[in-house]
Amino acid sequence: MKYHFNEIEAKWQKYWAENQTFKAENNSEKPKYYVLDMFPYPSGAGLHVGHPLGYIASDIYARYKRHKGFNVLHPQGYDSFGLPAEQYAIQTGQHPAITTEENIKTYRRQLDQIGFSFDWSREVRTSDPNYYKWTQWIFIQLFNSWYNNDVDKAENISTLISVFEKGGNANVNAACDDNITIFTAEAWKNYSSEQQQEILLKYRLTYLAETEVNWCPALGTVLANDEIVNGVSERGGHPVIRKKMMQWSMRISAYAERLLQGLDTIDWPEPLKEIQRNWIGKSVGASVTFKVLSPTLSNGKGVVPGYMTGGNNSHLLLERAKEMRANPTEAEAALWQNLKGKKLDSKFRRQHIIGDYIVDFVCLDKKLIIEVDGKIHDSQIEEDANRTEILENDFYKVIRFKNEEVLGNIDEVLEKISKELAERESIKREQVLPSGKDLGWEIDVFTTRPDTIFGVSFMTLAPEHELVAKITTPEQKAEVEAYIEATAKRSERDRMADVKTISGAFTGAYAEHPFSKKPIPIWIGDYVLAGYGTGAVMSVPCGDQRDYDFAKYFEIPIPNIFDLSKIKGSSESSPPLEELEEAFTDKDNTIIANSGFLNGLNYKQAVKRAIYELEKLGQGKGKTNYRLRDAVFSRQRYWGEPFPVYYVNGMPQMIDTEHLPITLPEVEKYLPTETGEPPLGNATHWAWCTKTNKIVSNEMLKQVQHDKNGSVIPTEQSDEESHNGVYPLELNTMPGWAGSSQYFNRYMDPHNDTEIFSQEAINYWQQVDLYIGGSEHATGHLLYSRFWQKFMYDLGLVPHDEFAKKLINQGMILGTSALIYRLDVEFSVDYKISEASEIIAQSTSHLAYAKKATQDGRFGSNYVFSKNRKNEIEQKGYGNIDKVIIEKISKKLHEITPNSPVENIELINQFEKKIHIVGLIFSPIHVDVSLVNSSDELDIEAFKLHPMGKDYKEVEFLSEEDGTFKVGREIEKMSKRWLNVVNPEIICSDYGADSLRLYEMFLGPLEQYKPWNTAGITGVYSFLKKLWKLYFDDNGFKVTETEPSKEALKTLHKTIKKVEEDIENFSFNTSVSTFMIAVNELTAQKCTSREILEPLLILISPYAPHIAEELWNQLGHKESISTAAFPKFDESHLVESTKNYPISFNGKMRFTMELPLDLSKDDIEAAVMAHEKTKEQLQGREPKKVIIVPGKIVNIVG
RNA sequence: GCUGAAGUGGUGGAAUUGGUAGACACGUUGGACUUAAAAUCCAAUGAACAUUGCGUUCGUGCGGGUUCAAGUCCCGCCUUCAGUACCA
């Protein structure tokens, strides 16, 4: 009897379906185990051999766990909402539900053919109203919740309302919008219902807000961040622009920290966790508030006050100041004796430049200026009231003394100064320095390096920052506006592609350094992103490379605040960084310098101190920032879950959960409406009647209009009366990830129509024990699902806040593309006008073209080369191509190039045409892999009949010497585009599902990317035939009840041990090898014992269930093999009495020796040394050392 | 740039706590069976040298190191793939 896999597989697939062999019950005495696959999107193309890889692995594990005595839940379903079905509907008008249904049928047929042990009675489909009812239900729960940071969990919105009623929102610590205004309990009570709703929206976990979204005009919808790859849409690669729209969002950012922490508690692949960590993007640092100084001084010159910044003549002033310091007046000298060295507890400087002036003495800290009127120095005489005014404008206080006062009674003068200093001390800093305060402008920045705060030499705002327009000085206005316009024009993609070009503009404004009080110029630059942090940075050029580059480019000072002498161990002390090529960004080896109270501290100490000082000033605090943004939840699509939302006076209202599901309405067209509304705007029945709680005709709506984004435009009449209780429903639908974020829980109780799942079911199954799927969902489905699970945990619905204990990413199976090589010609044609026709040409307007023209191009010839022919020519050079071919190509080239490069000119024959062949080149052409046999030979006749072969009817095929036409191979992603898709159905009919399953596992480690090569399947196929032959030969069934041999028992138990270890480690490829070894050994041993062959089947059955089931049945069992217990490993069968020792010399194995295992070290050494080959190796030398590891190895050194 | 993973025959890939590198397959070559092909079976197959056999030398991306012994551990590079990208 032969191995007829087709009959066997059909028979058992039918049996399993009819007997519901794999149906899981929600209670059992056995321990539970939940194995889950990522459910597929049923696309029209069906499955290729790459798709089932993960399903086969999980199926093996599920079957193995059943043998091990577990009650296994192994469900499957369909993620059946989505874009392709909708695109197809737009093109053909066919309802997406029909397309989806058809695709599901194909999928089911293909899946069934592979023999999975799914419990299909639990199937879910995201597009099924009975399923999406619960997706809508969760949405409502999210809407009715807010995130309380104090207890770090979501709570019902009613608790927030009662807090508002009792004490307003001042003490609420919630995850909420940024633009919250503080109100009192009294104010809350006085707000209108709409105002209250609007405020609550800012706290809800799903909220409606005007957000800047990624709008994809080609797809007519918004996309989430994870749906964009390199600035274009993941699907279709269409451009994406930023646009403001009213959209539903999910406040996933509230869970950022828990999503991050949770990663440490789950057994997921490290690379995937790393992707999620990066996506969440936690950074710890501080927020710092910089006050904006008054734009300009009114000195008419636009000169900005500033210490050491100076005006245009600052270098002259500097010279002058030096000179004056060297030649003080008698009075100045006397006063300086009493001011210097902090004699009055304040530091004074003399002859100091403030703005365009030199002042006699100044205490910068207190902004107190002392002027001594002299007679000797001319320059001192010109001072006037104007100067005082200007200085006072900049909040300096100027006090004056006469020379005589100083010289006459210096004590009195000093006392006056002391009094003045004390007064300025007692005045609050803000009053002394009302700088930007009069206008209240402040710039908040986020920094991870508060330790470098003294290195700030400028600030940079994103061009989109709201303060830019306000602070820009009239002088800088034109430049700034031009810059903003230029940046806005650049698409997101350009901006990303071009990170090297430094650009920016100076606003003319200054901010005040929180500690040094020095003015800091404010710039704008597109290296600062509006979307991250606050859209503004404090720029520390010596400590950040981008700041450094920016400063270098615009020649902004780069003060150094690092003690490089201590860092680099050099004797120089703090060399100026301007001379260095890059910023010093190493924070682990930092010693801060030139930074006041931070001097001498390392990174950690300095950060702590800086935050402490900032807090003392009230100008900053420690802060943690996350990159994770809230997820946009609205899509302008038809084929998705409708929102259970209607609008009253523009405010969203939830439909009562008892009225769910809100089913998708029928529409005539699946495109956006003419007015730009989402497709649901086409529905005629899409309004909500609050009286009947039903969806009703739009005709019952009164005067309600939507704007382009689907939001309701409120009208004056839109109160309850005029609506008659009928309101418009939300026109957007939910995104693809809505349905996939809770399906794993629904499988536990899929038919429950009163609850999302019963508490019994969730408490029995708990969570997914093993989840297998692709890593491409790292920042989408896998993050959103974790978010929803945590939310449901907060609600007390689920016992774990992580939905999947263990996750494995299966690698992709790549396709092996087949290539043929067409000879292409690169050519150049010169057109020259002949003299005779020049006259004619002159009379036309085409003279300029006609005189001379060149046309370059590339031309695909009719010659196709096989792989080796091509290689040969590429090695020898293109000159070796047959001359006849070149001639023919040349002729063809003459035919296809026009006689005139200029159209519509009637001088066709007047042109002289000269054709140059510039180059020859092979261009690879993909051919369908199904036309290529296992020896890489292309079936040329079949190729010509193939749809794509039509273009190659005339083609000449230049084959190998032996007459075969070999194709080249290239490993690429398996896709229709590369014609390298292999259909599992064909594999199943040619080799059987068991072969397919074994081969997919045998290809390599599950997580790894590996190429598919159909030819290789013969290996596992002949293994199955060999396996069959252990049970059957030409005379029929040959299993006997004879006692098994020792060798056979050893083979069996060795196999049990290895297979069990391999499955537990998900090393499926090696266990297939183990089976092969076992079958090869048992065949050689001529084993026929039932005692061996029966347990062997159970070992193999998770991998090749059909053949195992058939042979199990032949052995006389009536129950399915899936219920059999996994064989028990018995060590005693593996005990050996001897060991074949490898004998090494200096670590290199030279020969082996069979020795008893119970030999002592000395006996082993004696035996080895006595061996003839040992003497030969040593050639008379004495061994220096003999290493003996009993049971392992002998190594002789010498 | 940053982060992560990985480099082993012609190919996919094995190799336990450092202990016989290349298991198991594919492919290739030779042979048996056959009119022939397919299928099946047998043998060889890391490279080089030697071939009368016994063999010898070199070999896990590169260069060092630790060790009796390194694909495996340590240091420094190179390459490939993936993720991410002005994240302050």
Side-chain angles (χ1 to χ4, degrees):
Chain A
M1 196 171 145
K2 279 205 170 156
Y3 169 45
H4 295 294
F5 56 84
N6 282 327
E7 289 163 30
I8 292 169
E9 292 179 356
K11 172 178 158 190
W12 290 104
Q13 281 163 13
K14 196 173 160 224
Y15 174 90
W16 295 329
E18 282 173 356
N19 291 277
Q20 300 212 350
T21 309
F22 306 112
K23 190 168 173 2
E25 297 300 335
N26 278 7
N27 55 68
S28 167
E29 306 211 325
K30 298 173 183 174
K32 70 98 191 181
Y33 201 88
Y34 185 177
V35 186
L36 181 67
D37 292 299
M38 288 185 182
F39 61 169
Y41 172 78
S43 82
L47 293 170
H48 64 60
V49 291
H51 293 123
L53 179 71
Y55 301 158
I56 293 170
S58 67
D59 196 59
I60 288 168
Y61 204 76
R63 285 173 181 270
Y64 166 74
K65 278 287 179 184
R66 287 193 196 97
H67 288 308
K68 277 282 183 183
F70 286 83
N71 182 29
V72 173
L73 174 57
H74 187 38
Q76 188 57 290
Y78 303 98
D79 189 12
S80 48
F81 270 134
L83 240 100
E86 178 155 342
Q87 299 283 49
Y88 189 73
I90 290 167
Q91 285 160 24
T92 65
Q94 172 156 286
H95 197 286
I98 297 170
T99 316
T100 303
E101 185 67 38
E102 282 171 1
N103 293 347
I104 285 177
K105 271 191 193 136
T106 309
Y107 262 65
R108 181 62 191 271
R109 191 186 67 237
Q110 289 183 309
L111 290 172
D112 282 348
Q113 206 176 16
I114 302 171
F116 292 121
S117 64
F118 292 131
D119 176 359
W120 283 107
S121 73
R122 292 173 185 257
E123 178 191 315
V124 300
R125 297 177 187 190
T126 55
S127 62
D128 178 353
N130 290 325
Y131 176 86
Y132 69 65
K133 170 179 176 176
W134 298 107
T135 313
Q136 292 171 336
W137 182 85
I138 292 183
F139 176 81
I140 294 169
Q141 307 310 309
L142 283 157
F143 183 82
N144 287 333
S145 302
W146 65 292
Y147 199 87
N148 187 344
N149 281 332
D150 284 335
V151 293
D152 213 8
K153 62 182 275 203
E155 287 184 7
N156 193 282
I157 198 80
S158 60
T159 65
L160 184 66
I161 294 171
S162 60
V163 170
F164 287 172
E165 282 167 352
K166 281 185 199 121
N169 70 345
N171 296 316
V172 171
N173 183 9
C176 57
D177 289 5
D178 299 330
N179 57 346
I180 297 286
T181 43
I182 304 295
F183 53 82
T184 61
E186 199 57 34
W188 171 257
K189 282 166 202 155
N190 291 331
Y191 286 142
S192 70
S193 165
E194 273 79 20
Q195 282 170 314
Q196 289 183 344
Q197 289 182 45
E198 206 166 321
I199 290 163
L200 287 174
L201 258 186
K202 294 173 196 270
Y203 289 87
R204 295 180 191 273
L205 282 180
T206 184
Y207 58 97
L208 197 58
E210 172 108 310
T211 37
E212 191 154 272
V213 296
N214 307 300
W215 173 254
C216 179
L219 294 173
T221 190
V222 301
L223 299 170
N225 284 344
D226 65 283
E227 291 168 317
I228 299 164
V229 179
N230 294 329
V232 297
S233 69
E234 189 190 16
R235 270 182 191 279
H238 305 293
V240 173
I241 58 167
R242 308 285 296 170
K243 189 178 170 185
K244 284 217 165 191
M245 282 179 83
M246 193 59 99
Q247 299 283 320
W248 284 104
S249 283
M250 287 278 164
R251 210 178 294 281
I252 187 171
S253 58
Y255 284 86
E257 187 61 32
R258 280 170 67 189
L259 287 168
L260 189 65
Q261 296 305 326
L263 289 172
D264 296 334
T265 69
I266 46 180
D267 182 9
W268 287 21
E270 203 46 53
L272 187 129
K273 288 191 192 179
E274 203 55 36
I275 292 171
Q276 290 208 345
R277 283 191 196 106
N278 289 337
W279 192 260
I280 294 165
K282 180 179 183 175
S283 41
V284 181
S287 73
V288 185
T289 305
F290 286 78
K291 292 169 180 171
V292 180
L293 293 168
S294 297
T296 51
L297 278 182
S298 52
N299 63 359
K301 288 192 242 163
V303 171
V304 175
Y307 161 64
M308 294 299 280
T309 55
N312 296 330
N313 50 358
S314 65
H315 62 286
L316 296 173
L317 282 173
L318 214 63
E319 292 288 303
R320 187 100 181 91
K322 259 189 203 167
E323 189 192 321
M324 293 197 303
R325 253 174 256 154
N327 304 299
T329 63
E330 203 185 337
E332 283 167 355
L335 189 54
W336 180 238
Q337 283 305 312
N338 288 291
L339 291 177
K340 73 175 180 188
K342 286 198 177 179
K343 285 200 179 117
L344 295 179
D345 282 322
S346 293
K347 184 170 176 157
F348 276 88
R349 294 158 199 269
R350 60 175 170 156
Q351 305 301 351
H352 200 84
I353 300 164
I354 306 278
D356 271 359
Y357 302 100
I358 301 170
V359 297
D360 286 342
F361 302 96
V362 59
C363 171
L364 289 168
D365 214 2
K366 305 270 164 63
K367 289 206 154 188
L368 181 69
I369 293 168
I370 301 161
E371 291 285 317
V372 180
D373 292 348
K375 281 168 189 159
I376 298 159
H377 297 279
D378 294 343
S379 58
Q380 300 294 90
I381 299 164
E382 65 184 36
E383 72 203 6
D384 54 9
N386 184 29
R387 171 173 164 178
T388 308
E389 189 197 313
I390 289 167
L391 289 169
E392 283 184 347
N393 226 338
D394 199 30
F395 320 112
Y396 282 93
K397 166 104 188 199
V398 182
I399 51 175
R400 291 169 190 286
F401 299 99
K402 296 221 156 44
N403 274 354
E404 304 84 84
E405 281 180 82
V406 177
L407 295 170
N409 192 346
I410 187 122
D411 286 333
E412 198 183 310
V413 167
L414 289 173
E415 203 185 308
K416 269 190 186 172
I417 295 170
S418 288
K419 217 178 125 193
E420 204 61 56
L421 284 170
E423 209 177 307
R424 289 184 74 75
E425 184 73 74
S426 70
I427 299 168
K428 277 196 171 173
R429 208 167 270 276
E430 285 92 84
Q431 287 168 320
V432 177
L433 307 165
S435 308
K437 271 287 278 189
D438 10 344
L439 301 158
W441 293 340
E442 289 181 343
I443 299 171
D444 286 329
V445 303
F446 174 75
T447 178
T448 53
R449 298 291 304 273
D451 57 315
T452 63
I453 186 132
F454 283 91
V456 175
S457 68
F458 60 103
M459 300 190 70
T460 317
L461 308 186
E464 300 91 340
H465 197 283
E466 54 169 12
L467 264 184
V468 172
K470 293 180 189 166
I471 62 171
T472 303
T473 57
E475 290 82 3
Q476 294 300 111
K477 206 175 168 201
E479 193 188 329
V480 165
E481 280 176 357
Y483 181 67
I484 292 172
E485 206 190 314
T487 341
K489 263 190 201 155
R490 293 175 76 192
S491 67
E492 195 87 341
R493 211 179 178 191
D494 291 345
R495 229 163 123 169
M496 274 202 298
D498 175 29
V499 294
K500 292 226 171 83
T501 314
I502 295 163
S503 67
F506 179 46
T507 61
Y510 288 78
E512 181 195 69
H513 192 282
F515 297 118
S516 73
K517 305 298 172 194
K518 293 174 190 170
I520 304 163
I522 303 171
W523 288 68
I524 59 171
D526 70 358
Y527 81 98
V528 177
L529 303 176
Y532 182 77
T534 59
V537 299
M538 57 176 229
S539 302
V540 184
C542 65
D544 182 283
Q545 194 55 48
R546 291 155 305 162
D547 294 344
Y548 178 90
D549 295 340
F550 194 86
K552 197 96 191 165
Y553 186 82
F554 289 109
E555 296 176 350
I556 303 167
I558 304 175
N560 185 21
I561 50 142
F562 298 115
D563 192 340
L564 294 181
S565 64
K566 284 188 186 143
I567 294 154
K568 292 185 175 164
S570 82
S571 55
E572 294 169 61
S573 62
S574 303
L577 260 168
E578 292 102 297
E579 290 158 29
L580 298 182
E581 285 303 303
E582 54 183 13
F584 183 76
T585 54
D586 177 8
K587 56 185 173 188
D588 293 333
N589 298 308
T590 301
I591 300 294
I592 304 290
N594 299 337
S595 296
F597 50 79
L598 297 179
N599 284 346
L601 300 182
N602 67 25
Y603 166 70
K604 270 194 173 166
Q605 298 164 327
V607 166
K608 223 176 144 188
R609 181 73 194 274
I611 291 173
Y612 170 77
E613 296 290 340
L614 282 166
E615 279 175 355
K616 231 167 72 180
L617 274 185
Q619 277 188 254
K621 55 175 195 267
K623 198 188 169 186
T624 301
N625 220 18
Y626 298 91
R627 201 190 81 125
L628 184 70
R629 300 263 74 91
D630 283 348
V632 176
F633 200 65
S634 296
R635 295 292 182 277
Q636 293 67 50
R637 308 232 63 105
Y638 176 75
W639 194 231
E641 297 88 348
F643 284 84
V645 173
Y646 62 95
Y647 289 88
V648 177
N649 293 350
M651 296 311 297
Q653 310 295 325
M654 294 296 122
I655 289 168
D656 266 358
T657 52
E658 60 184 301
H659 307 305
L660 299 180
I662 302 303
T663 51
L664 261 180
E666 294 302 317
V667 293
E668 268 186 39
K669 269 173 33 191
Y670 302 97
L671 282 168
T673 65
E674 278 166 18
T675 52
E677 287 176 345
L680 291 192
N682 290 318
T684 52
H685 270 66
W686 198 237
W688 185 251
C689 176
T690 54
K691 290 180 178 163
T692 59
N693 289 313
K694 286 204 163 79
I695 296 168
V696 295
S697 166
N698 293 4
E699 284 166 17
M700 293 176 71
L701 278 176
K702 283 186 189 166
Q703 308 207 356
V704 172
Q705 290 175 329
H706 292 86
D707 68 15
K708 275 184 191 170
N709 303 329
S711 313
V712 175
I713 300 169
T715 65
E716 287 185 10
Q717 292 175 306
S718 50
D719 62 318
E720 201 146 336
E721 275 301 299
S722 72
H723 276 83
N724 206 16
V726 176
Y727 300 97
L729 281 159
E730 169 73 49
L731 297 182
N732 289 297
T733 54
M734 298 186 195
W737 54 271
S740 58
S741 295
Q742 59 106 354
Y743 76 110
F744 34 85
N745 290 328
R746 182 67 181 169
Y747 277 137
M748 297 173 185
D749 194 7
H751 308 297
N752 193 331
D753 51 14
T754 55
E755 294 166 285
I756 184 163
F757 39 74
S758 70
Q759 284 303 302
E760 288 107 283
I762 191 94
N763 284 326
Y764 178 72
W765 294 111
Q766 299 274 318
Q767 69 190 130
V768 176
D769 292 291
L770 173 66
Y771 194 20
I772 296 186
S775 60
E776 67 272 19
H777 298 107
T779 55
H781 159 63
L782 289 173
L783 196 62
Y784 297 131
S785 295
R786 293 183 60 224
F787 159 45
W788 279 30
Q789 183 79 1
K790 286 184 190 303
F791 169 68
M792 293 214 270
Y793 177 78
D794 288 353
L795 256 51
L797 287 168
V798 294
H800 295 279
D801 73 344
E802 291 290 348
F803 75 94
K805 222 190 235 174
K806 181 175 176 65
L807 179 127
I808 294 178
N809 291 128
Q810 88 274 23
M812 200 184 285
I813 290 190
L814 303 167
T816 312
S817 304
L819 301 166
I820 57 176
Y821 303 91
R822 190 183 64 203
L823 185 65
D824 279 9
V825 183
E826 288 176 327
F827 63 87
S828 173
V829 191
D830 286 345
Y831 296 94
K832 228 169 128 188
I833 193 164
S834 68
E835 281 193 30
S837 54
E838 193 168 351
I839 303 141
I840 310 164
Q842 269 172 355
S843 65
T844 76
S845 58
H846 297 292
L847 183 68
Y849 297 98
K851 272 217 161 170
K852 193 175 182 209
T854 305
Q855 198 180 9
D856 296 322
R858 190 158 162 173
F859 156 63
S861 79
N862 277 338
Y863 292 91
V864 193
F865 285 67
S866 69
K867 180 183 140 201
N868 293 328
R869 273 287 188 94
K870 173 214 131 198
N871 287 348
E872 197 186 317
I873 286 166
E874 276 180 346
Q875 272 167 24
K876 285 191 195 162
Y878 284 89
N880 290 288
I881 297 174
D882 197 335
K883 285 209 175 63
V884 181
I885 292 177
I886 304 294
E887 271 169 32
K888 281 193 179 165
I889 289 174
S890 211
K891 205 178 148 198
K892 184 82 185 172
L893 210 48
H894 273 92
E895 286 169 22
I896 61 160
T897 52
N899 285 324
S900 161
V902 185
E903 279 180 35
N904 305 323
I905 186 165
E906 296 167 7
L907 300 169
I908 288 166
N909 294 319
Q910 314 283 347
F911 283 91
E912 210 178 284
K913 179 163 85 171
K914 243 192 189 161
I915 296 181
H916 316 276
I917 292 180
V918 179
L920 293 168
I921 198 160
F922 284 115
S923 64
I925 312 262
H926 281 83
V927 297
D928 199 312
V929 288
S930 63
L931 305 173
V932 180
N933 70 12
S934 59
S935 311
D936 288 354
E937 290 159 10
L938 176 71
D939 185 336
I940 294 172
E941 292 315 308
F943 176 67
K944 283 181 175 169
L945 293 172
H946 190 265
M948 82 159 288
K950 266 190 274 172
D951 305 335
Y952 295 84
K953 287 254 156 59
E954 306 290 313
V955 162
E956 240 177 274
F957 289 82
L958 299 175
S959 307
E960 315 292 351
E961 307 254 309
D962 62 2
T964 60
F965 193 92
K966 289 224 160 69
V967 295
R969 292 293 198 177
E970 190 84 46
I971 306 295
E972 288 167 311
K973 197 176 164 179
M974 197 173 275
S975 107
K976 256 184 165 173
R977 185 175 165 204
W978 304 123
L979 303 168
N980 59 4
V981 173
V982 179
N983 187 337
E985 288 178 84
I986 292 172
I987 302 296
C988 283
S989 71
D990 289 357
Y991 302 96
D994 286 339
S995 288
L996 176 74
R997 293 169 63 109
L998 281 170
Y999 189 50
E1000 296 226 354
M1001 291 301 105
F1002 188 62
L1003 279 174
L1006 180 61
E1007 305 87 345
Q1008 204 166 298
Y1009 279 51
K1010 51 217 171 250
W1012 176 269
N1013 174 17
T1014 303
I1017 202 170
T1018 53
V1020 293
Y1021 180 54
S1022 49
F1023 156 72
L1024 287 175
K1025 283 190 285 192
K1026 274 187 228 165
L1027 174 71
W1028 183 264
K1029 280 189 193 159
L1030 276 177
Y1031 299 79
F1032 281 100
D1033 60 15
D1034 296 339
N1035 304 320
F1037 201 58
K1038 65 176 199 183
V1039 178
T1040 61
E1041 304 297 328
T1042 47
E1043 279 285 306
S1045 69
K1046 254 185 127 179
E1047 290 78 40
L1049 280 166
K1050 190 180 156 190
T1051 299
L1052 175 69
H1053 284 273
K1054 185 173 79 176
T1055 309
I1056 294 171
K1057 183 166 188 273
K1058 179 86 169 94
V1059 169
E1060 190 167 341
E1061 281 169 5
D1062 284 347
I1063 297 183
E1064 298 283 359
N1065 293 320
F1066 303 96
S1067 175
F1068 301 111
N1069 55 326
T1070 49
S1071 44
V1072 178
S1073 305
T1074 308
F1075 294 140
M1076 290 174 170
I1077 294 167
V1079 168
N1080 287 345
E1081 283 180 7
L1082 292 174
T1083 305
Q1085 292 160 12
K1086 299 195 163 45
C1087 172
T1088 58
S1089 308
R1090 171 186 284 267
E1091 208 179 317
I1092 302 295
L1093 297 178
E1094 208 169 86
L1096 180 70
L1097 283 181
I1098 303 170
L1099 297 181
I1100 292 177
S1101 90
Y1103 291 80
H1106 307 90
I1107 192 172
E1109 196 80 88
E1110 174 66 22
L1111 292 172
W1112 185 253
N1113 187 252
Q1114 294 285 347
L1115 282 165
H1117 294 278
K1118 293 285 162 260
E1119 288 286 308
S1120 163
I1121 193 171
S1122 65
T1123 59
F1126 202 77
K1128 255 205 139 52
F1129 167 60
D1130 183 352
E1131 180 95 52
S1132 68
H1133 296 294
L1134 299 194
V1135 176
E1136 301 270 359
S1137 61
T1138 61
K1139 160 83 185 171
N1140 195 21
Y1141 277 96
I1143 313 298
S1144 315
F1145 291 82
N1146 297 320
K1148 290 196 169 100
M1149 203 278 287
R1150 293 304 173 196
F1151 62 93
T1152 59
M1153 247 182 114
E1154 189 84 17
L1155 291 168
L1157 266 170
D1158 52 6
L1159 233 51
S1160 72
K1161 273 194 177 190
D1162 291 344
D1163 292 341
I1164 294 172
E1165 182 167 347
V1168 171
M1169 292 315 287
H1171 200 279
E1172 198 183 306
K1173 283 185 182 167
T1174 307
K1175 290 170 189 159
E1176 208 176 285
Q1177 282 292 330
L1178 288 171
Q1179 294 186 317
R1181 279 169 294 152
E1182 263 306 301
K1184 283 185 198 144
K1185 207 171 174 188
V1186 180
I1187 312 280
I1188 292 165
V1189 185
K1192 285 231 157 135
I1193 199 168
V1194 176
N1195 192 17
I1196 298 166
V1197 188

